[in-house]
Amino acid sequence: MERHIVSYLFQHKKCPLPGIGSLELHDGSAYISYPDKKVMAPRSAIRLTSNTVMPDALQEYISGMEHIPVWAAQNQLTDFCRRLQGLDTNAEIPLPDAGVFFKTADGKLSFHSVAVPEVFLPDVDAEKVIHPDASHEMLVGDRQ
């Protein structure tokens, strides 16, 4: 079940978890480090939100991947979500290549995403280029 949830999440950027909320993939943004002369790659993060989304598409996805009826996929997803809700404090349920579900001391279900390995998102060398002899037209107001 976990691998299907991860696969669906990375394909659709949102994965509903009935009775819990949904996992959402939030894209980061690239930034420039002028002293290092590098453009740093964006870093994505996965967050568990309380947003409820109908799980019909996820159930159909699991059904197709497992070659089982939709009702059986629905049962598997419901069982997984019950396991998450019944998680003990300090216990964890990992999602391969995505992160870990855990319960906080106050009993709230949380998710901690793992960082994408840097080999997949390398930083890029970048040097500022100045052409002192180049001239460019500038638009000021409505005149050039």
Side-chain angles (χ1 to χ4, degrees), residues 105-126:
D106 61 350
K108 183 180 176 188
L109 184 65
S110 295
F111 185 80
H112 176 69
S113 64
V114 296
V116 176
E118 290 186 21
V119 70
F120 294 116
L121 299 167
D123 297 334
V124 178
D125 293 333

Side-chain angles (χ1 to χ4, degrees), residues 12 14 22 24 26-29 38 48 50 52 57 62 65 72 79 82 84 87 104 112 123 131 133 136 138:
H12 297 92
K14 190 177 279 194
S22 61
E24 296 180 2
H26 293 271
D27 293 328
S29 56
K38 290 190 179 284
L48 179 62
S50 60
T52 56
I62 294 168
M65 296 301 287
D79 290 343
R82 283 189 186 136
L84 289 177
L87 197 62
T104 59
H112 176 69
D123 297 334
H131 299 282
D133 299 331
H136 302 281
M138 290 181 61

Side-chain angles (χ1 to χ4, degrees), residues 2 5 17 20 23 48 80 84 87 91-95 99-103 109-112:
E2 289 87 344
I5 288 174
L17 299 172
I20 296 171
L23 286 175
L48 179 62
F80 177 75
L84 289 177
L87 197 62
E92 298 179 342
I93 295 180
L95 277 183
V100 177
F101 285 102
F102 64 96
K103 273 220 176 147
L109 184 65
S110 295
F111 185 80
H112 176 69

Side-chain angles (χ1 to χ4, degrees), residues 136-144:
H136 302 281
E137 293 183 11
M138 290 181 61
L139 185 63
V140 178
D142 59 348
R143 301 177 195 268
Q144 284 189 337

